[in-house]
PDB file of all heavy atoms in Angstrom:
ATOM      1  N   GLY A 389      -1.841 -19.774  29.118  1.00 96.00           N
ATOM      2  CA  GLY A 389      -1.521 -20.826  30.072  1.00 96.00           C
ATOM      3  C   GLY A 389      -2.035 -22.194  29.690  1.00 96.00           C
ATOM      4  O   GLY A 389      -1.911 -23.147  30.471  1.00 96.00           O
ATOM      5  N   GLN A 390      -2.613 -22.329  28.494  1.00 98.00           N
ATOM      6  CA  GLN A 390      -3.135 -23.595  27.996  1.00 98.00           C
ATOM      7  C   GLN A 390      -2.390 -24.007  26.726  1.00 98.00           C
ATOM      8  O   GLN A 390      -1.802 -23.170  26.039  1.00 98.00           O
ATOM      9  CB  GLN A 390      -4.630 -23.484  27.687  1.00 98.00           C
ATOM     10  CG  GLN A 390      -5.485 -23.055  28.867  1.00 98.00           C
ATOM     11  CD  GLN A 390      -5.585 -24.138  29.924  1.00 98.00           C
ATOM     12  OE1 GLN A 390      -6.010 -25.256  29.675  1.00 98.00           O
ATOM     13  NE2 GLN A 390      -5.188 -23.794  31.158  1.00 98.00           N
ATOM     14  N   VAL A 391      -2.438 -25.285  26.415  1.00 98.00           N
ATOM     15  CA  VAL A 391      -1.898 -25.804  25.162  1.00 98.00           C
ATOM     16  C   VAL A 391      -3.061 -26.339  24.333  1.00 98.00           C
ATOM     17  O   VAL A 391      -3.846 -27.160  24.818  1.00 98.00           O
ATOM     18  CB  VAL A 391      -0.871 -26.930  25.416  1.00 98.00           C
ATOM     19  CG1 VAL A 391      -0.390 -27.510  24.086  1.00 98.00           C
ATOM     20  CG2 VAL A 391       0.319 -26.412  26.218  1.00 98.00           C
ATOM     21  N   TRP A 392      -3.170 -25.858  23.122  1.00 98.00           N
ATOM     22  CA  TRP A 392      -4.168 -26.362  22.186  1.00 98.00           C
ATOM     23  C   TRP A 392      -3.462 -27.312  21.225  1.00 98.00           C
ATOM     24  O   TRP A 392      -2.410 -26.975  20.684  1.00 98.00           O
ATOM     25  CB  TRP A 392      -4.813 -25.214  21.410  1.00 98.00           C
ATOM     26  CG  TRP A 392      -5.527 -24.219  22.278  1.00 98.00           C
ATOM     27  CD1 TRP A 392      -4.950 -23.196  22.989  1.00 98.00           C
ATOM     28  CD2 TRP A 392      -6.931 -24.153  22.539  1.00 98.00           C
ATOM     29  NE1 TRP A 392      -5.914 -22.491  23.676  1.00 98.00           N
ATOM     30  CE2 TRP A 392      -7.149 -23.053  23.408  1.00 98.00           C
ATOM     31  CE3 TRP A 392      -8.028 -24.900  22.113  1.00 98.00           C
ATOM     32  CZ2 TRP A 392      -8.410 -22.692  23.861  1.00 98.00           C
ATOM     33  CZ3 TRP A 392      -9.290 -24.536  22.560  1.00 98.00           C
ATOM     34  CH2 TRP A 392      -9.475 -23.449  23.423  1.00 98.00           C
ATOM     35  N   ALA A 393      -4.032 -28.491  21.008  1.00 98.00           N
ATOM     36  CA  ALA A 393      -3.364 -29.519  20.217  1.00 98.00           C
ATOM     37  C   ALA A 393      -4.305 -30.099  19.170  1.00 98.00           C
ATOM     38  O   ALA A 393      -5.384 -30.600  19.511  1.00 98.00           O
ATOM     39  CB  ALA A 393      -2.851 -30.645  21.111  1.00 98.00           C
ATOM     40  N   ASN A 394      -3.888 -30.030  17.895  1.00 97.00           N
ATOM     41  CA  ASN A 394      -4.567 -30.817  16.873  1.00 97.00           C
ATOM     42  C   ASN A 394      -4.343 -32.293  17.176  1.00 97.00           C
ATOM     43  O   ASN A 394      -3.241 -32.695  17.574  1.00 97.00           O
ATOM     44  CB  ASN A 394      -3.992 -30.528  15.484  1.00 97.00           C
ATOM     45  CG  ASN A 394      -4.505 -29.242  14.860  1.00 97.00           C
ATOM     46  OD1 ASN A 394      -3.727 -28.404  14.426  1.00 97.00           O
ATOM     47  ND2 ASN A 394      -5.809 -29.088  14.813  1.00 97.00           N
ATOM     48  N   LEU A 395      -5.377 -33.099  17.001  1.00 97.00           N
ATOM     49  CA  LEU A 395      -5.250 -34.547  17.154  1.00 97.00           C
ATOM     50  C   LEU A 395      -5.210 -35.153  15.768  1.00 97.00           C
ATOM     51  O   LEU A 395      -6.194 -35.107  15.028  1.00 97.00           O
ATOM     52  CB  LEU A 395      -6.421 -35.108  17.965  1.00 97.00           C
ATOM     53  CG  LEU A 395      -6.586 -34.523  19.363  1.00 97.00           C
ATOM     54  CD1 LEU A 395      -7.725 -35.223  20.103  1.00 97.00           C
ATOM     55  CD2 LEU A 395      -5.294 -34.630  20.167  1.00 97.00           C
ATOM     56  N   TRP A 396      -4.051 -35.700  15.430  1.00 95.00           N
ATOM     57  CA  TRP A 396      -3.824 -36.183  14.074  1.00 95.00           C
ATOM     58  C   TRP A 396      -4.868 -37.224  13.665  1.00 95.00           C
ATOM     59  O   TRP A 396      -5.207 -38.119  14.436  1.00 95.00           O
ATOM     60  CB  TRP A 396      -2.416 -36.780  13.960  1.00 95.00           C
ATOM     61  CG  TRP A 396      -2.110 -37.315  12.607  1.00 95.00           C
ATOM     62  CD1 TRP A 396      -1.959 -36.601  11.455  1.00 95.00           C
ATOM     63  CD2 TRP A 396      -1.928 -38.676  12.252  1.00 95.00           C
ATOM     64  NE1 TRP A 396      -1.694 -37.440  10.409  1.00 95.00           N
ATOM     65  CE2 TRP A 396      -1.673 -38.723  10.874  1.00 95.00           C
ATOM     66  CE3 TRP A 396      -1.964 -39.860  12.979  1.00 95.00           C
ATOM     67  CZ2 TRP A 396      -1.435 -39.914  10.196  1.00 95.00           C
ATOM     68  CZ3 TRP A 396      -1.734 -41.051  12.311  1.00 95.00           C
ATOM     69  CH2 TRP A 396      -1.473 -41.068  10.937  1.00 95.00           C
ATOM     70  N   GLY A 397      -5.383 -37.061  12.434  1.00 92.00           N
ATOM     71  CA  GLY A 397      -6.365 -37.990  11.908  1.00 92.00           C
ATOM     72  C   GLY A 397      -7.778 -37.679  12.328  1.00 92.00           C
ATOM     73  O   GLY A 397      -8.680 -38.481  12.088  1.00 92.00           O
ATOM     74  N   SER A 398      -8.017 -36.513  12.965  1.00 94.00           N
ATOM     75  CA  SER A 398      -9.364 -36.160  13.407  1.00 94.00           C
ATOM     76  C   SER A 398      -9.588 -34.673  13.191  1.00 94.00           C
ATOM     77  O   SER A 398      -8.675 -33.919  12.843  1.00 94.00           O
ATOM     78  CB  SER A 398      -9.563 -36.508  14.887  1.00 94.00           C
ATOM     79  OG  SER A 398      -9.074 -35.470  15.724  1.00 94.00           O
ATOM     80  N   ASP A 399     -10.834 -34.240  13.428  1.00 96.00           N
ATOM     81  CA  ASP A 399     -11.191 -32.826  13.374  1.00 96.00           C
ATOM     82  C   ASP A 399     -11.253 -32.225  14.765  1.00 96.00           C
ATOM     83  O   ASP A 399     -11.787 -31.127  14.940  1.00 96.00           O
ATOM     84  CB  ASP A 399     -12.545 -32.642  12.673  1.00 96.00           C
ATOM     85  CG  ASP A 399     -12.487 -32.952  11.190  1.00 96.00           C
ATOM     86  OD1 ASP A 399     -11.501 -32.549  10.541  1.00 96.00           O
ATOM     87  OD2 ASP A 399     -13.418 -33.601  10.680  1.00 96.00           O
ATOM     88  N   ASP A 400     -10.740 -32.920  15.770  1.00 97.00           N
ATOM     89  CA  ASP A 400     -10.762 -32.447  17.146  1.00 97.00           C
ATOM     90  C   ASP A 400      -9.496 -31.673  17.494  1.00 97.00           C
ATOM     91  O   ASP A 400      -8.397 -32.000  17.037  1.00 97.00           O
ATOM     92  CB  ASP A 400     -10.901 -33.609  18.130  1.00 97.00           C
ATOM     93  CG  ASP A 400     -12.321 -34.145  18.208  1.00 97.00           C
ATOM     94  OD1 ASP A 400     -13.227 -33.530  17.615  1.00 97.00           O
ATOM     95  OD2 ASP A 400     -12.522 -35.185  18.864  1.00 97.00           O
ATOM     96  N   ILE A 401      -9.688 -30.653  18.323  1.00 98.00           N
ATOM     97  CA  ILE A 401      -8.589 -29.906  18.923  1.00 98.00           C
ATOM     98  C   ILE A 401      -8.778 -29.987  20.433  1.00 98.00           C
ATOM     99  O   ILE A 401      -9.864 -29.689  20.946  1.00 98.00           O
ATOM    100  CB  ILE A 401      -8.590 -28.438  18.473  1.00 98.00           C
ATOM    101  CG1 ILE A 401      -8.418 -28.341  16.950  1.00 98.00           C
ATOM    102  CG2 ILE A 401      -7.490 -27.645  19.186  1.00 98.00           C
ATOM    103  CD1 ILE A 401      -8.685 -26.950  16.400  1.00 98.00           C
ATOM    104  N   ALA A 402      -7.748 -30.408  21.135  1.00 98.00           N
ATOM    105  CA  ALA A 402      -7.824 -30.537  22.587  1.00 98.00           C
ATOM    106  C   ALA A 402      -7.207 -29.321  23.259  1.00 98.00           C
ATOM    107  O   ALA A 402      -6.137 -28.861  22.859  1.00 98.00           O
ATOM    108  CB  ALA A 402      -7.099 -31.794  23.050  1.00 98.00           C
ATOM    109  N   ARG A 403      -7.894 -28.808  24.274  1.00 98.00           N
ATOM    110  CA  ARG A 403      -7.311 -27.776  25.145  1.00 98.00           C
ATOM    111  C   ARG A 403      -6.772 -28.482  26.377  1.00 98.00           C
ATOM    112  O   ARG A 403      -7.502 -29.202  27.063  1.00 98.00           O
ATOM    113  CB  ARG A 403      -8.359 -26.738  25.529  1.00 98.00           C
ATOM    114  CG  ARG A 403      -7.775 -25.520  26.278  1.00 98.00           C
ATOM    115  CD  ARG A 403      -8.882 -24.559  26.684  1.00 98.00           C
ATOM    116  NE  ARG A 403      -9.713 -25.121  27.744  1.00 98.00           N
ATOM    117  CZ  ARG A 403     -10.877 -24.600  28.131  1.00 98.00           C
ATOM    118  NH1 ARG A 403     -11.363 -23.528  27.530  1.00 98.00           N
ATOM    119  NH2 ARG A 403     -11.570 -25.165  29.115  1.00 98.00           N
ATOM    120  N   ILE A 404      -5.486 -28.264  26.670  1.00 98.00           N
ATOM    121  CA  ILE A 404      -4.791 -29.048  27.683  1.00 98.00           C
ATOM    122  C   ILE A 404      -4.202 -28.130  28.748  1.00 98.00           C
ATOM    123  O   ILE A 404      -3.606 -27.087  28.437  1.00 98.00           O
ATOM    124  CB  ILE A 404      -3.646 -29.865  27.024  1.00 98.00           C
ATOM    125  CG1 ILE A 404      -4.207 -30.769  25.916  1.00 98.00           C
ATOM    126  CG2 ILE A 404      -2.875 -30.675  28.052  1.00 98.00           C
ATOM    127  CD1 ILE A 404      -3.142 -31.258  24.951  1.00 98.00           C
ATOM    128  N   ASP A 405      -4.350 -28.532  30.002  1.00 98.00           N
ATOM    129  CA  ASP A 405      -3.665 -27.868  31.109  1.00 98.00           C
ATOM    130  C   ASP A 405      -2.268 -28.493  31.203  1.00 98.00           C
ATOM    131  O   ASP A 405      -2.142 -29.663  31.594  1.00 98.00           O
ATOM    132  CB  ASP A 405      -4.434 -28.092  32.405  1.00 98.00           C
ATOM    133  CG  ASP A 405      -3.764 -27.446  33.612  1.00 98.00           C
ATOM    134  OD1 ASP A 405      -2.609 -26.986  33.491  1.00 98.00           O
ATOM    135  OD2 ASP A 405      -4.386 -27.421  34.683  1.00 98.00           O
ATOM    136  N   PRO A 406      -1.223 -27.761  30.847  1.00 98.00           N
ATOM    137  CA  PRO A 406       0.109 -28.368  30.825  1.00 98.00           C
ATOM    138  C   PRO A 406       0.645 -28.725  32.207  1.00 98.00           C
ATOM    139  O   PRO A 406       1.578 -29.523  32.318  1.00 98.00           O
ATOM    140  CB  PRO A 406       0.978 -27.305  30.154  1.00 98.00           C
ATOM    141  CG  PRO A 406       0.266 -26.014  30.432  1.00 98.00           C
ATOM    142  CD  PRO A 406      -1.194 -26.350  30.429  1.00 98.00           C
ATOM    143  N   ALA A 407       0.063 -28.159  33.265  1.00 97.00           N
ATOM    144  CA  ALA A 407       0.520 -28.481  34.622  1.00 97.00           C
ATOM    145  C   ALA A 407       0.115 -29.886  35.023  1.00 97.00           C
ATOM    146  O   ALA A 407       0.835 -30.567  35.758  1.00 97.00           O
ATOM    147  CB  ALA A 407      -0.027 -27.470  35.618  1.00 97.00           C
ATOM    148  N   THR A 408      -1.046 -30.341  34.545  1.00 97.00           N
ATOM    149  CA  THR A 408      -1.567 -31.660  34.932  1.00 97.00           C
ATOM    150  C   THR A 408      -1.675 -32.646  33.782  1.00 97.00           C
ATOM    151  O   THR A 408      -1.806 -33.850  34.001  1.00 97.00           O
ATOM    152  CB  THR A 408      -2.971 -31.498  35.542  1.00 97.00           C
ATOM    153  OG1 THR A 408      -3.867 -30.982  34.525  1.00 97.00           O
ATOM    154  CG2 THR A 408      -2.945 -30.535  36.716  1.00 97.00           C
ATOM    155  N   GLY A 409      -1.672 -32.134  32.547  1.00 98.00           N
ATOM    156  CA  GLY A 409      -1.885 -32.988  31.386  1.00 98.00           C
ATOM    157  C   GLY A 409      -3.354 -33.262  31.100  1.00 98.00           C
ATOM    158  O   GLY A 409      -3.677 -33.984  30.160  1.00 98.00           O
ATOM    159  N   GLN A 410      -4.257 -32.699  31.900  1.00 98.00           N
ATOM    160  CA  GLN A 410      -5.680 -32.958  31.712  1.00 98.00           C
ATOM    161  C   GLN A 410      -6.244 -32.142  30.553  1.00 98.00           C
ATOM    162  O   GLN A 410      -5.953 -30.946  30.425  1.00 98.00           O
ATOM    163  CB  GLN A 410      -6.453 -32.629  32.983  1.00 98.00           C
ATOM    164  CG  GLN A 410      -6.141 -33.555  34.142  1.00 98.00           C
ATOM    165  CD  GLN A 410      -6.478 -35.011  33.829  1.00 98.00           C
ATOM    166  OE1 GLN A 410      -7.591 -35.311  33.386  1.00 98.00           O
ATOM    167  NE2 GLN A 410      -5.529 -35.904  34.045  1.00 98.00           N
ATOM    168  N   VAL A 411      -7.053 -32.813  29.716  1.00 98.00           N
ATOM    169  CA  VAL A 411      -7.797 -32.112  28.672  1.00 98.00           C
ATOM    170  C   VAL A 411      -8.931 -31.354  29.346  1.00 98.00           C
ATOM    171  O   VAL A 411      -9.726 -31.933  30.097  1.00 98.00           O
ATOM    172  CB  VAL A 411      -8.342 -33.084  27.621  1.00 98.00           C
ATOM    173  CG1 VAL A 411      -9.228 -32.357  26.609  1.00 98.00           C
ATOM    174  CG2 VAL A 411      -7.199 -33.786  26.902  1.00 98.00           C
ATOM    175  N   THR A 412      -9.017 -30.048  29.100  1.00 97.00           N
ATOM    176  CA  THR A 412     -10.021 -29.212  29.760  1.00 97.00           C
ATOM    177  C   THR A 412     -11.173 -28.831  28.839  1.00 97.00           C
ATOM    178  O   THR A 412     -12.188 -28.312  29.312  1.00 97.00           O
ATOM    179  CB  THR A 412      -9.374 -27.938  30.313  1.00 97.00           C
ATOM    180  OG1 THR A 412      -8.765 -27.208  29.240  1.00 97.00           O
ATOM    181  CG2 THR A 412      -8.315 -28.289  31.354  1.00 97.00           C
TER     182      THR A 412
END
Side-chain angles (χ1 to χ4, degrees):
Q390 302 290 303
V391 176
W392 299 81
N394 281 128
L395 302 184
W396 179 68
S398 84
D399 291 318
D400 283 352
I401 299 168
R403 188 183 70 192
I404 303 162
D405 179 350
T408 64
Q410 293 300 309
V411 175
T412 59

